[in-house]
Amino acid sequence: MKMTHKIIFLLYFLSLSSVCLLAGNSKIISIYSPDKHTRAEFTADGKTRLHYRVFSDNREVIEWSDAGLETNRGVIGSNAVIVSQKHRIVDEKFAWRLGESDTIVNQYNELVLNCMSNRLPFQLIIRAYNGSIAFRYDLSSAGVQTIKRELTTFHFSQSSIVYQYNHESVFTPTAIDTLKKTCDLPATIHSGSYYLTVGEAENESYTKAEFIKGALPNTLAVAFMHDTAVIVADHFQTPWRTISLSKTAVGLHNFSDLYLRLNTTTVKDIPNWIEPGKLIRAQLSTQSGLECIDFAVKHHFQYIMYDGGWYGLGKLSPNLNPTRSIPAIDLQKVISYGNEKGVKVILYVDNGLTAYMDSLLPLYKKWGVAGFKFGFVDGRSQKGITWLNQMIRKVNDYGFILNIHDNYKPTGLSRKYPALLTQEGIRGDENSPDAFHTTTLPFTRFLAGPADFTFCFPNSKNSFSKNIKVSKAQQMALMVVYFSPLQAVFWYGKPLDYTNDEEIEFFDYVPTVWNESHYLAGEIGKNISVARRDGSTWFVGNVAGFEDWIGSVRFDFLSAGQRYEATVYEDDGAGNIRKRIEILKKDDVFPFDIKAKGGQAMIIRKK
């Protein structure tokens, strides 16, 4: 090898990691992000447990924390030594027409540590992104049959607040040292001058892990709450554990596509048959289905859906059969009418999902059904998550779009199965969320991926006051703020009741996927402003929590030298929508005064 090539190789090696010897011959191996601002260090001296810590701009954000697994063959990570290491640089982009942006940049440095622990070989795979660290355990060579506990901890360097929640519960800001309940992943933490989201990517056959208070102060530990152990198959890798950090709350959205970036896939192009869009739910009759299709055509919706009850009432009744509809619904008539009008039909299935699934796939394809909505799934246990992963693959391969409801949260599997458009795992309008909840979700659950919020916008006959605890304009703005390629709108409304066309015209125009997104301002549980581009048109959503929000945003994302006309939809103070027009250009500062629980939605078009 020539000297020049040796120097280049050495610089390449140092750009990925560095190794230094400490007292007692323990090693610290470092991995840096591409921009060098984020660093993780891992250490093992053969006598104690494998540890790691995380820095941002040389400031320790995660102190020395445990890494490892308790298995049937002993503790992996105990008495660990690092035998060798491999390095890789990845700098790529891939198109993603189902996202918040149409192109995803995937740039990271990777370090694979080959380790021995109590004579058990294992790998620790680490990736450093700008602002994020991710790592997972590979047990392919360990001969392990079960994982009894995951020993991973997250020891924050300062007193920290975690936004505790479980599944569809409310959020409770809680000091980690006083945490009594478990907390779902991803968990959002405010630690000193940093905001962090700690989560999980690519869970295909693991259990649903949750966080509990760790043994040390300011520490979260991973716990198995729904399985006593995880069964290990051949070539087994745990899900990724992710740590992303930002100096601002809205900055956490720089990592909202991290789970997609971490998932392995062979998919090069998203098939054309996978179409995002908006849907309205039909009542349990043929006539309602036909009326919903007409409504969808008028308001530029792509789907209608028959929800629970279309093949019988009685939640989880063993006698329900999803291979036939109730007499009140002529599915073939509705599907045929939809085909004539360019509107597709989605069917909800809960009871019978496990027993009938393999027969439903060819049957629904024959019927002309466009997609499934799964209900009452098991997204907690290893058995349930493994089964769901198999079903996601089958639904994708059969050519159906998919929405999963109830206790399931995304871990980026849409990257390998793009037909998985959305999922619930969120306290949507069905559960009457308040303005604290609506302004907390963008900084918490939505960092994991899309969520089906089931919007319940009022109509001339029903205010849905039981479900909606925020203003009409906030409901509009949330359609921009909340991301989901498949959005359920007018969830409880009947099509013929929506005579307020001028009020609801915003929903006619707003899309569900985007070319570009910017999170402009916001604080957890207080407010948020988001701008998103569809073609040459921009949509902006501004949302206030329990307090009035007097502020402004700068339109520096607009094109220079171009004048724009902004249609502003806002609350009029009397429970209705006021619409006004503003003329804008790049770098204009737009002031607003949004009342508590209120919002403001904007459509900005070239003039």
Side-chain angles (χ1 to χ4, degrees), residues 33-35 88-96 101-110 126-130 132-134 201-202 240 242 254-265 267 412 415:
S33 62
D35 65 5
R88 187 165 65 111
I89 294 175
V90 173
D91 187 358
E92 64 180 5
K93 295 180 181 179
F94 59 90
W96 192 252
S101 297
D102 55 23
T103 302
I104 293 179
V105 177
N106 194 29
Q107 185 183 48
Y108 61 88
N109 293 330
E110 183 180 83
I126 309 146
R127 291 182 182 175
Y129 297 82
N130 295 340
S132 296
I133 298 294
E202 202 169 18
W240 294 97
T242 67
N254 292 328
F255 319 111
S256 58
D257 62 3
L258 179 63
Y259 294 1
L260 293 174
R261 289 184 269 161
L262 282 164
N263 266 261
T264 54
T265 184
V267 174
R415 176 80 191 282

Side-chain angles (χ1 to χ4, degrees), residues 113-183:
L113 300 180
N114 292 297
C115 306
M116 290 291 293
S117 179
N118 300 314
R119 297 185 179 180
L120 296 177
F122 71 98
Q123 288 185 330
L124 189 64
I125 306 170
I126 309 146
R127 291 182 182 175
Y129 297 82
N130 295 340
S132 296
I133 298 294
F135 61 90
R136 75 193 316 178
Y137 309 95
D138 188 318
L139 306 183
S140 300
S141 303
V144 167
Q145 286 79 47
T146 58
I147 299 171
K148 298 179 180 179
R149 285 194 303 154
E150 183 173 334
L151 305 176
T152 310
T153 63
F154 303 83
H155 184 190
F156 303 97
S157 60
Q158 299 185 55
S159 295
S160 302
I161 299 294
V162 61
Y163 285 79
Q164 185 275 334
Y165 73 109
N166 288 110
H167 183 42
E168 293 181 284
S169 76
V170 299
F171 289 91
T172 306
T174 305
I176 287 178
D177 285 346
T178 66
L179 184 65
K180 293 182 172 60
K181 299 180 180 179
T182 65
C183 181

Side-chain angles (χ1 to χ4, degrees), residues 176-331:
I176 287 178
D177 285 346
T178 66
L179 184 65
K180 293 182 172 60
K181 299 180 180 179
T182 65
C183 181
D184 275 2
L185 284 67
T188 299
I189 296 100
H190 191 189
S191 181
S193 59
Y194 286 92
Y195 295 87
L196 299 95
T197 176
V198 183
E200 172 182 81
E202 202 169 18
N203 185 351
E204 297 181 280
S205 58
Y206 208 61
T207 190
K208 180 195 175 193
E210 298 178 17
F211 284 136
I212 59 174
K213 182 169 72 72
L216 297 176
N218 299 317
T219 301
L220 291 175
V222 174
F224 297 166
M225 304 304 297
H226 310 284
D227 284 299
T228 56
V230 171
I231 299 171
V232 176
D234 293 337
H235 309 293
F236 189 87
Q237 293 180 328
T238 66
W240 294 97
R241 297 289 170 241
T242 67
I243 304 164
S244 301
L245 46 94
S246 171
K247 289 289 186 68
T248 65
V250 291
L252 290 176
H253 269 278
N254 292 328
F255 319 111
S256 58
D257 62 3
L258 179 63
Y259 294 1
L260 293 174
R261 289 184 269 161
L262 282 164
N263 266 261
T264 54
T265 184
T266 58
V267 174
K268 293 184 179 180
D269 298 304
I270 298 170
N272 291 332
W273 61 264
I274 299 177
E275 297 182 12
K278 294 166 285 190
L279 70 84
I280 182 169
R281 183 174 73 157
Q283 305 299 307
L284 300 178
S285 70
T286 303
Q287 185 60 34
S288 178
L290 301 177
E291 291 169 357
C292 282
I293 289 170
D294 289 337
F295 181 92
V297 172
K298 179 179 179 180
H299 295 284
H300 310 296
F301 282 28
Q302 291 69 39
Y303 298 96
I304 74 162
M305 186 181 72
Y306 280 112
D307 203 46
W310 73 266
Y311 58 97
L313 297 173
K315 186 185 297 182
L316 301 183
S317 168
N319 298 319
L320 298 184
N321 184 341
T323 65
R324 57 178 181 264
S325 64
I326 59 175
I329 300 175
D330 185 340
L331 265 180

Side-chain angles (χ1 to χ4, degrees), residues 310-311 320-325 331-332 335 347-375 387 391 394-395 398-400 402:
W310 73 266
Y311 58 97
L320 298 184
N321 184 341
T323 65
R324 57 178 181 264
S325 64
L331 265 180
Q332 285 306 302
I335 292 170
L347 296 180
Y348 172 90
V349 183
D350 53 19
N351 189 277
L353 189 60
T354 303
Y356 289 95
M357 192 62 200
D358 285 336
S359 61
L360 293 183
L361 292 165
L363 179 64
Y364 287 6
K365 182 61 68 172
K366 180 181 178 181
W367 286 357
V369 174
F372 283 83
K373 175 183 171 183
F374 288 176
W387 182 86
M391 291 306 105
K394 286 184 177 183
V395 168
Y398 250 91
F400 297 99
L402 178 60

Side-chain angles (χ1 to χ4, degrees), residues 373 405 424 428-431 451-456 487-492:
K373 175 183 171 183
H405 261 231
E424 193 182 23
D429 269 351
E430 291 176 286
N431 293 305
D452 185 11
F453 190 71
T454 55
F455 287 94
C456 299
Q487 285 278 23
V489 192
F490 310 124
W491 183 246
Y492 287 120

